[in-house]
Amino acid sequence: LIKRNWLLGMRIQHEVLQDQRAEYGEQVIRTLAKSLTEIYGKGFSRNNLYRFISFYKSFDSLFDAAEDIFLIVPSLLGQSEKVPATTGLFKDTDILQAVIAKYPIRLSWSHYSIILQEPNAEARAWYENEAANEMWSTRTLQRNVSSQYYHRLLQSQDKAIVRDEMKMIATPLQDKLEFLKNPVVAE
C-alpha cells in the first residue's frame, strides 16, 4: 500500500501535473479522482490523491525507482513513443518490483499520512524514526504530531520533562502489542 501510494504520487506529479503546479491542476486532480474512484472504488478521493503527491514529494528518498520506471509504465499501457507496447514482456508486478525500498518500511500508511501533517522535513524524519522505534500506535503518533512534541522537545531546556509528559499522556493510548496485532503488519 505504501509503495502503491508512493508510485501513484510519483506518476501524478510527473505524468499528470508534469512537475508543475498548473492552475488547471485542481480540475485535473478532480477528474482523475472521479475516474479512479469509478474504476477502483473508494480510496482515490481528491484529498487522497493530493496526499499521495505529498507523500512522494516528502518521502522521495523512501524508495529507489529503477531508471527505466518512466519507460516501463507507459510501455505497459502502450503509450510510449520510445518503447513499443509490450506483449507479455512485462508482468503487472514489474512496476512494483521496479521500485525498491532503500530501508525497511516499518510503519503503516496511516502512520505516514499522519506524519505528512508536519511541514518540517526534519520533524517528519524524527516522527518516522520515533514512531517505528517506540512502536507508536496511530493514536499516539497523531497526539504527538498535533501537540508538536518534536518542536516542544527542541525548545525545551529540560527534555526529560517533555518526554515524561508525553509518556504519561500517551501510555494509556499505547499498547506495544497492538502494533504486532495490526493485520497490515502481520501480513
Side-chain angles (χ1 to χ4, degrees), residues 87-129:
T87 55
L89 183 61
F90 292 113
K91 297 182 226 98
D92 292 340
T93 58
D94 283 346
I95 296 171
L96 288 175
Q97 291 173 356
V99 176
I100 300 166
K102 290 185 177 178
Y103 51 88
I105 306 301
R106 303 180 296 168
L107 299 174
S108 69
W109 170 246
S110 298
H111 284 88
Y112 281 109
S113 62
I114 292 169
I115 292 171
L116 286 174
Q117 297 170 11
E118 172 60 53
N120 182 306
E122 289 177 11
R124 282 193 305 268
W126 186 86
Y127 283 121
E128 178 185 18
N129 191 42

Side-chain angles (χ1 to χ4, degrees), residues 144-155:
N144 290 341
V145 170
S146 296
S147 68
Q148 298 186 343
Y149 177 48
Y150 171 78
H151 299 288
R152 289 186 301 121
L153 199 57
L154 281 183
Q155 293 175 352

Side-chain angles (χ1 to χ4, degrees), residues 2-170:
I2 292 169
K3 192 183 283 190
R4 181 206 69 177
N5 293 346
W6 188 88
L7 275 167
L8 281 170
M10 179 185 72
R11 290 198 63 196
I12 293 168
Q13 177 64 29
H14 295 297
E15 294 176 22
V16 177
L17 298 178
Q18 298 175 350
D19 294 325
Q20 46 186 308
R21 182 66 190 241
E23 289 185 15
Y24 70 91
E26 175 67 30
Q27 184 60 37
V28 170
I29 295 294
R30 187 177 293 129
T31 304
L32 182 61
K34 185 177 178 184
S35 298
L36 289 173
T37 301
E38 287 173 4
I39 296 169
Y40 299 108
K42 291 182 180 181
F44 297 99
S45 67
R46 182 178 56 86
N47 289 339
N48 277 345
L49 294 184
Y50 278 121
R51 193 171 291 123
F52 299 158
I53 295 167
S54 178
F55 180 57
Y56 167 70
K57 287 179 176 179
S58 299
F59 292 94
D60 59 342
S61 64
L62 190 61
F63 292 101
D64 194 14
E67 292 179 19
D68 59 350
I69 189 75
F70 291 107
L71 297 176
I72 292 172
V73 174
S75 68
L76 278 172
L77 302 173
Q79 300 171 343
S80 175
E81 295 173 10
K82 296 179 184 176
V83 177
T86 59
T87 55
L89 183 61
F90 292 113
K91 297 182 226 98
D92 292 340
T93 58
D94 283 346
I95 296 171
L96 288 175
Q97 291 173 356
V99 176
I100 300 166
K102 290 185 177 178
Y103 51 88
I105 306 301
R106 303 180 296 168
L107 299 174
S108 69
W109 170 246
S110 298
H111 284 88
Y112 281 109
S113 62
I114 292 169
I115 292 171
L116 286 174
Q117 297 170 11
E118 172 60 53
N120 182 306
E122 289 177 11
R124 282 193 305 268
W126 186 86
Y127 283 121
E128 178 185 18
N129 191 42
E130 284 295 305
N133 289 340
E134 297 296 323
M135 290 192 247
W136 287 348
S137 67
T138 54
R139 288 180 63 196
T140 301
L141 178 60
Q142 181 64 62
R143 187 241 170 245
N144 290 341
V145 170
S146 296
S147 68
Q148 298 186 343
Y149 177 48
Y150 171 78
H151 299 288
R152 289 186 301 121
L153 199 57
L154 281 183
Q155 293 175 352
S156 174
Q157 291 182 356
D158 189 359
K159 295 180 185 343
I161 293 174
V162 178
R163 281 192 185 103
D164 291 343
E165 174 200 352
M166 187 284 296
K167 286 180 182 177
M168 184 182 72
I169 294 172

